[in-house]
Amino acid sequence: MDKVRIALRTLSRAPGFTVAAVLALALGVGGSTAMFSVLRGVVLKPLAPPHPEELVRLYQRPAGSEARYPFSAPDYIDLAKGNGAFQSIAGIRAERQTLTGRGSPIQIRVARVTGSFFSILRQWPSIGRAPGAEEDVAGGSRTVVLTDGFWRREFGADPSAVGRTLVLDGRVYVIGGVMPPDFRFPLLRQAEVLVPAAFDRIELERRDHSWITVVGRLKAGFGIPEAQADLDRLAPRLAEQLEEHNGWRQEAQLLLDDLVGPLKPALIALQGAVLLVLLIACANVASMLLARGMARQRELAIRAALGGGRGELVGHLLIESMFVALAGGALGMVLAAWGLDALLALSPKGTPRLDEVHLDAAVLGFALLISIVAGLLAGLAPALQVTQPRLMDVLRNGASGSGARARSALVVAEMALALVLAAGAGLMIRTLAVLLDVRTGLASPERVLVADLDLPEAQYGNDRVSTFAQQLLQRVSAVPGVRSSALLTNVPLDPRTQSALGFRLEGGEQPPPGQTPKAEAVWATPGYLETMGIPLLRGRGLRWTDSNSTPRIVLVNEAFVRRHIPNGEPLGRRVLDLLAPNDAWEIAGVIGDVHTKGLDLAPAPLVVIPLLQFPVTFLRIAVRAEKGDPLQLLPPLRAEVLALDKNLPMSAPQPLSQVVIDSLGERRFQMTLLSVFALVALALAALGIYGVMAYSVAQRSREIGIRMALGAAPRRVLGMVVAGGLRLAAAGVGLGIIGALAATRVLSALVYGVSTTDPLTLASTAAVLIVSAALASWIPARRAARLDPTLSLRAE
């Protein structure tokens, strides 16, 4: 305890040093802890259901393609019958439905789940019961299960809610149970109500309609190889049922890998970046400890002369550094709590498992561990340096300057690490700039409002959809400020509503088995091209006369023509088997390309299907404003919708430009974090340069005084000090460029339109570091240039 009290008293006598060291480590520990909490919650933490390592995701893949597709209802039933490697499988369909009868109609997230869902997860309602297998049939009793959050919000956590009714999309359901508060499953996409899948007759007949996400639980002792072998045996049987799936492969993947696999490289890279910041902070604190230790050499020499061994002296200094580290860690945990909120706010929409990210015991344990490691890294080398065997010479010859070289080496290391981070941030900034410059194919998206407008299937048949569409758009067109409007199914760059259809061209070559071509599909009404700002290049657009009683037509984009009709005339060609076997759709127009899946992906082949010729109910509304903010049109638009159907809400309204921005959310998140980390690293490295040069000026005050007494001009002294700082920076930049050339390869999967060894990025980041080093050296240089040589020599 005496050593602890001495260490605390010693640190209290140097408040400036203590505060600076604690703050430096707090930045590193706080950033590392916040980033680790995201990495743990999203990637490392096991899924909530019991034995999550047994859960797998099933999907199907066309031959020679990386695209993955869900299953149809008949495929799901065949999989359930032939599941030799699985205890059982379950089907899930996340969607939106309209809740009515509880105030104003609202759209909520709903998941249709098969009867085996709860047994697969081994999670059951905490109140009431789950639907039984006998209820998972068309026409069966409609029993739903609520999530705890929905139950508390809508029913005030009243247990008597079980047994009451709930109206979804016009259907009346009975509330069977409520899930526990900790229930969560990412494939539900935050669904608030679970309803039985209850496949109807049409769904059971449509093997070409792939809409069911399938998850299974492996039998004890079985793994992915056994599951894959089982699926391979089943594949020929599934292919026999649908010719266009001949050659398709059914695959199994561990559920956690399926959910977070694509995110893992970026999150690990960001965690590595913030750990570099922590290393820079450690180097900075080590430099400060070394400077302080050199200034205390006489004190340490006296202790050695009084019998203190080197081990005792090193231990004393390490106690001080550990106090600094633990204080920095404690403050870092406070910063981590604040930083985690910022990270979650910046995280791109749709990132799985964000609701599981928080500062739990494991994260706090990580923070404690890195605080201790940081204390050792920052304190051990300086302690060994200042207690070297020549310590007794200090009593005879005065303070030694032997630590200057070590401090310079630490600063060089800081500059090198800072350049690696700055180069990574520069690459992500350039990537985002390139993507923002990509032409979306949409004209003036900031003037277009889009919103969800899903029609309840139970109330809207084909004829009613067509009538509703015509009546609504006629009313909307009369709203002041509206230039054009349309109903459509898929909004470009919105991942929620992408779909693809298989087809073949009349007169074209028969594709190899399992390689039926596919195209992105959008159902739309007239006004679609004008509202979305897509040019019509050839032929005609959609017309209100395109109905069930007229020949079927489609529009295709340039990418469709380039890939499938490169040397022919597209107008008049017929697209076959698009929505049903032996159907035929004539190409009536060619439109401009639009990025549908991402700005970093080339426009895919696209077909536009007239909504009136094949009505569907999963719709969006798009309205182009004459001028100004399109959100100003929202109140009158809602009024027009409710005038036609009082139980039909418009949900998730936003400008089309926001959809474009959100599509870059992942890249913007990576760029923002790397930029913040790089700025912190740059500030710490500049602080290191400043500290070294200030210490150098203090140590060389006698030399500088003699130079000035002999006639050296202040300008020359200033240049000498700044040049010393620039030499350190140049050495760090040189090492940093070598490190960046190796480290930025980790970002190869994240950058777009720029090489990871881009000379412009490396040169610009090097220039920024050199300038920051010059500025950091300027203050001690000016102090040196203003030294009074008389006072300096007299002090000696």
Side-chain angles (χ1 to χ4, degrees):
M1 290 299 296
D2 289 339
K3 293 181 179 180
V4 172
R5 284 195 296 270
I6 292 172
L8 287 173
R9 188 165 59 248
T10 303
L11 289 173
S12 66
R13 291 173 181 169
F17 157 80
T18 304
V19 170
V22 167
L23 286 176
L25 287 178
L27 286 173
V29 172
S32 299
T33 302
M35 196 65 235
F36 177 76
S37 65
V38 175
L39 181 65
R40 168 175 158 74
V42 174
V43 176
L44 303 178
K45 187 177 180 180
L47 294 171
H51 300 289
E53 72 282 356
E54 297 176 351
L55 294 174
V56 298
R57 168 85 177 270
L58 307 182
Y59 51 86
Q60 49 188 343
R61 189 193 302 277
S65 171
E66 294 299 317
R68 305 191 309 179
Y69 296 95
F71 293 87
S72 66
D75 286 341
Y76 166 78
I77 293 172
D78 287 341
L79 286 170
K81 292 177 181 177
N83 59 353
F86 300 97
Q87 298 178 33
S88 61
I89 65 171
I92 303 165
R93 165 71 172 186
E95 57 188 37
R96 288 177 178 269
Q97 293 187 14
T98 301
L99 172 67
T100 54
R102 302 191 61 80
S104 300
I106 58 171
Q107 281 199 334
I108 64 171
R109 294 185 177 94
V110 170
R112 294 177 61 185
V113 298
T114 58
S116 55
F117 173 79
F118 298 95
S119 61
I120 283 281
L121 265 60
R122 298 180 182 173
Q123 292 182 301
W124 308 91
S126 56
I127 302 174
R129 66 175 183 87
E134 70 281 359
E135 298 174 89
D136 187 23
V137 293
S141 61
R142 295 171 175 167
T143 303
V144 300
V145 175
L146 311 181
T147 61
D148 182 79
F150 183 85
W151 172 59
R152 293 180 183 279
R153 187 182 75 235
E154 293 293 328
F155 295 94
D158 184 359
S160 67
V162 174
R164 296 188 199 174
T165 59
L166 205 65
V167 182
L168 297 171
D169 272 3
R171 296 187 178 95
V172 179
Y173 293 87
V174 175
I175 300 172
V178 180
M179 296 302 291
D182 60 349
F183 169 74
R184 55 176 62 89
F185 190 62
L187 292 182
L188 297 177
R189 298 183 182 179
Q190 298 180 331
E192 299 176 291
V193 179
L194 309 181
V195 305
F199 304 134
D200 59 30
R201 180 182 59 82
I202 296 177
E203 291 171 338
L204 292 172
E205 292 175 353
R206 293 292 303 273
R207 196 173 285 270
D208 60 334
H209 186 192
S210 301
W211 58 279
I212 302 172
T213 297
V214 178
V215 62
R217 183 177 285 276
L218 294 168
K219 291 180 178 177
F222 282 71
I224 292 297
E226 291 81 8
Q228 189 58 58
D230 194 49
L231 292 172
D232 290 341
R233 286 192 295 270
L234 184 62
R237 194 168 79 198
L238 293 178
E240 288 176 3
Q241 305 297 324
L242 188 62
E243 183 178 350
E244 74 171 71
H245 284 190
N246 186 21
W248 281 41
R249 174 180 170 85
Q250 286 72 43
E251 297 184 1
Q253 185 176 17
L254 288 175
L255 182 57
L256 183 58
D257 291 344
D258 174 78
L259 290 170
V260 303
L263 299 173
K264 190 180 296 185
L267 290 178
I268 290 176
L270 291 172
Q271 183 67 57
V274 75
L275 287 176
L276 285 183
V277 174
L278 179 59
L279 282 177
I280 294 171
C282 289
N284 205 298
V285 173
S287 180
M288 287 189 281
L289 287 169
L290 185 58
R292 187 164 180 271
M294 300 308 297
R296 297 172 60 194
Q297 277 188 314
R298 185 174 180 82
E299 169 201 336
L300 296 172
I302 293 173
R303 289 190 178 191
L306 294 175
R310 190 183 187 194
E312 183 180 350
L313 296 178
V314 168
H316 172 75
L317 294 176
L318 280 179
I319 290 174
E320 291 184 16
S321 66
M322 291 306 300
F323 268 119
V324 170
L326 292 175
L331 180 58
M333 291 179 195
V334 176
L335 295 179
W338 173 84
L340 183 57
D341 291 338
L343 282 178
L344 295 179
L346 288 171
S347 297
K349 292 182 179 179
T351 302
R353 308 188 71 193
L354 282 182
D355 57 334
E356 299 183 45
V357 174
H358 54 273
L359 296 177
D360 57 14
V363 173
L364 296 179
F366 171 83
L368 178 61
L369 176 63
I370 62 173
S371 298
I372 294 172
V373 172
L376 291 174
L377 288 176
L380 185 58
L384 293 175
Q385 174 71 27
V386 300
T387 59
Q388 55 188 312
R390 295 192 304 271
L391 184 61
M392 294 303 297
D393 293 341
V394 174
L395 292 176
R396 294 188 292 268
N397 303 320
S400 168
S402 61
R405 189 172 298 175
R407 292 197 70 201
S408 297
L410 288 171
V411 168
V412 168
E414 288 183 56
M415 295 296 291
L417 294 174
L419 188 135
V420 171
L421 277 177
L427 289 174
M428 295 309 301
I429 290 171
R430 292 205 62 194
T431 291
L432 191 62
V434 170
L435 288 173
L436 288 173
D437 201 40
V438 171
R439 296 185 62 183
T440 63
L442 306 167
S444 303
E446 69 280 358
R447 288 169 48 195
V448 179
L449 172 70
V450 294
D452 292 350
L453 196 66
D454 292 337
L455 307 180
E457 291 185 14
Q459 301 174 28
Y460 282 84
N462 289 351
D463 292 340
R464 191 172 180 194
V465 170
S466 300
T467 302
F468 174 83
Q470 294 182 66
Q471 291 178 345
L472 176 61
L473 295 181
Q474 185 177 9
R475 299 175 72 108
V476 169
S477 64
V479 172
V482 172
R483 182 172 180 177
S484 61
S485 60
L487 294 179
L488 61 153
T489 54
N490 298 358
V491 173
L493 299 173
D494 187 340
R496 295 182 303 142
T497 53
Q498 294 174 0
S499 60
L501 298 175
F503 68 92
R504 61 185 179 89
L505 279 174
E506 185 179 47
E509 296 182 2
Q510 186 68 22
Q515 298 186 31
T516 301
K518 286 186 175 286
E520 297 292 320
V522 56
W523 284 253
T525 63
Y528 167 71
L529 298 181
E530 298 85 349
T531 303
M532 303 303 287
I534 303 172
L536 175 66
L537 304 179
R538 302 174 62 183
R540 70 172 180 88
L542 303 178
R543 298 171 180 168
W544 287 111
T545 53
D546 295 324
S547 65
N548 279 329
S549 60
T550 61
R552 292 183 168 185
I553 65 101
V554 292
L555 311 181
V556 299
N557 66 345
E558 290 182 285
F560 185 101
V561 175
R562 283 194 303 270
R563 182 173 301 181
H564 301 297
I565 320 175
N567 300 314
E569 172 57 56
L571 299 181
R573 289 288 295 272
R574 296 207 302 173
V575 179
L576 308 178
D577 303 340
L578 187 63
L579 291 169
N582 302 316
D583 66 357
W585 303 75
E586 181 180 316
I587 298 176
V590 179
I591 64 176
D593 283 337
V594 174
H595 289 268
T596 55
K597 292 185 176 180
L599 294 177
D600 56 346
L601 301 174
L606 174 72
V607 295
V608 182
I609 301 169
L611 179 66
L612 272 59
Q613 291 193 328
F614 197 98
V616 294
T617 57
F618 48 97
L619 295 175
R620 315 286 291 278
I621 185 171
V623 178
R624 178 173 288 271
E626 289 280 2
K627 59 182 179 179
D629 183 3
L631 287 174
Q632 295 178 351
L633 299 173
L634 190 57
L637 293 179
R638 279 198 167 122
E640 297 298 345
V641 171
L642 294 176
L644 288 177
D645 188 337
K646 64 178 183 178
N647 291 323
L648 188 61
M650 284 176 57
S651 61
Q654 61 182 327
L656 183 56
S657 56
Q658 187 62 47
V659 178
V660 177
I661 292 172
D662 289 344
S663 72
L664 297 174
E666 189 172 336
R667 292 277 178 35
R668 193 181 298 274
F669 175 70
Q670 296 157 4
M671 181 210 70
T672 301
L673 290 191
L674 278 176
S675 298
V676 170
F677 298 158
L679 286 174
V680 173
L682 182 63
L684 290 173
L687 184 62
I689 288 276
Y690 167 80
V692 165
M693 300 318 299
Y695 181 76
S696 175
V697 167
Q699 291 293 310
R700 299 173 61 188
S701 60
R702 182 173 182 274
E703 173 198 339
I704 293 171
I706 293 173
R707 286 176 180 268
M708 297 183 73
L710 294 176
R715 181 178 299 177
R716 186 169 181 178
V717 171
L718 188 146
M720 177 186 69
V721 177
V722 171
L726 292 178
R727 281 193 294 271
L728 294 177
V733 165
L735 289 175
I737 288 176
I738 297 173
L741 290 174
T744 52
R745 292 181 182 178
V746 177
L747 302 178
S748 58
L750 308 179
V751 299
Y752 174 81
V754 61
S755 168
T756 56
T757 57
D758 178 51
L760 178 60
T761 301
L762 291 175
S764 59
T765 52
V768 169
L769 261 71
I770 292 292
V771 170
S772 65
L775 293 175
S777 304
W778 179 261
I779 297 175
R782 288 194 65 185
R783 188 180 303 136
R786 293 176 177 176
L787 281 176
D788 185 338
T790 304
L791 294 177
S792 181
L793 293 175
R794 185 179 300 165
E796 292 294 326

